[in-house]
Amino acid sequence: MKDIFVHERGLCESDEVGAGTRVWAFAHVMRGAILGAACNVGDHAFIENGARLGNKVTVKNGVQVWDKVTVEDEVFLGPNMTFTNDVNPRVAFKKAPTALTPTLVKRGASIGANATIVCGITIGEQAFVGAGAVVVRDVPAHALVVGNPARRVGWMCTCGEKLGRELACACGRRYREISTDAGLAPL
C-alpha cells in the first residue's frame, strides 16, 4: 500500500485505503474495511471489516467503527466515540453480518467525544453531535444534538458555529428550515 502511512505499531490489514491516509500506533484497520483518501486514524481506534469511511475523515483516539457503518467525506469522529451495529445483541445467538443494522453519517458531520451512536440511524450533513450524547434517532442536516437521549437544541453552520434564531452566521452563510426532520438548507 503505497502513499499511506501506518505507524510501526499500527495494524492496517485492508487493501482498500486511499492515498494520504495515516494509521497511528495501536490502531487496527481490519481486512475488508474501506477508507478513503487523506483519512487520519488515531491511536487505539478500531475499524472493523465492512465499515466504510469516505475521504478526509478524522477518527480520533479510541473510536470504534463497526461493520455496516458508513461515514461519508469530511466527517469528524471525536475521541472515544462509538457506533453500534446490533440493536439487541446476545452472545449465545450470533447473528449473520446481513442481520446487523446499518448506520449512515453524512458529509461534514461532527460527533463529539464519548458520544454513542445507536445503530439504524442517519446523521445528516453538517450535523453536530455533542460530547457524551447518546443518539437513538435520526439527526437532521445542520442540527445540534446533545444529551441522553440526544435531542436537538439548535442548528449549526457549515463553518461550525452555532446559528441564532435568524439562521444566519457571522461567516455570511444563511439557511432556511426545510422541516424539523429534514433540517436546514442553505439560501
Side-chain angles (χ1 to χ4, degrees):
M1 290 180 288
K2 60 182 181 182
D3 299 329
I4 71 165
F5 169 80
V6 179
H7 187 278
E8 64 183 34
R9 292 199 169 98
L11 177 59
C12 184
E13 300 172 308
S14 177
D15 294 328
E16 298 186 64
V17 179
T21 289
R22 297 167 299 176
V23 178
W24 294 98
F26 311 109
H28 184 177
V29 178
M30 291 183 73
R31 182 176 315 283
I34 299 170
L35 281 69
C39 292
N40 189 44
V41 180
D43 290 8
H44 298 280
F46 178 77
I47 303 174
E48 190 174 38
N49 62 307
R52 304 173 72 88
L53 276 61
N55 298 319
K56 298 181 182 177
V57 174
T58 295
V59 180
K60 297 306 273 182
N61 298 1
V63 171
Q64 297 97 40
V65 185
W66 306 108
D67 185 11
K68 301 289 187 202
V69 173
T70 300
V71 177
E72 293 183 350
D73 297 345
E74 299 176 345
V75 168
F76 176 85
L77 303 177
N80 298 304
M81 67 78 46
T82 194
F83 293 96
T84 66
N85 65 359
D86 191 345
V87 175
N88 53 352
R90 292 284 194 200
V91 171
F93 299 92
K94 185 161 176 59
K95 293 181 181 164
T98 56
L100 299 174
T101 305
T103 296
L104 173 61
V105 181
K106 292 194 171 188
R107 183 179 185 279
S110 292
I111 301 175
N114 295 308
T116 299
I117 310 302
V118 176
C119 57
I121 65 158
T122 297
I123 296 176
E125 285 192 22
Q126 308 296 333
F128 195 101
V129 176
V134 178
V135 181
V136 297
R137 61 184 155 272
D138 290 351
V139 177
H142 293 275
L144 167 61
V145 298
V146 299
N148 180 5
R151 67 196 182 293
R152 188 179 66 78
V153 295
W155 298 106
M156 298 294 283
C157 181
T158 297
C159 76
E161 293 296 320
K162 187 173 180 186
L163 297 170
R165 290 180 193 214
E166 56 285 334
L167 302 179
C169 185
C171 75
R173 291 178 180 88
R174 298 181 55 81
Y175 299 87
R176 66 180 170 81
E177 189 172 339
I178 300 168
S179 72
T180 303
D181 293 335
L184 301 182
L187 288 177

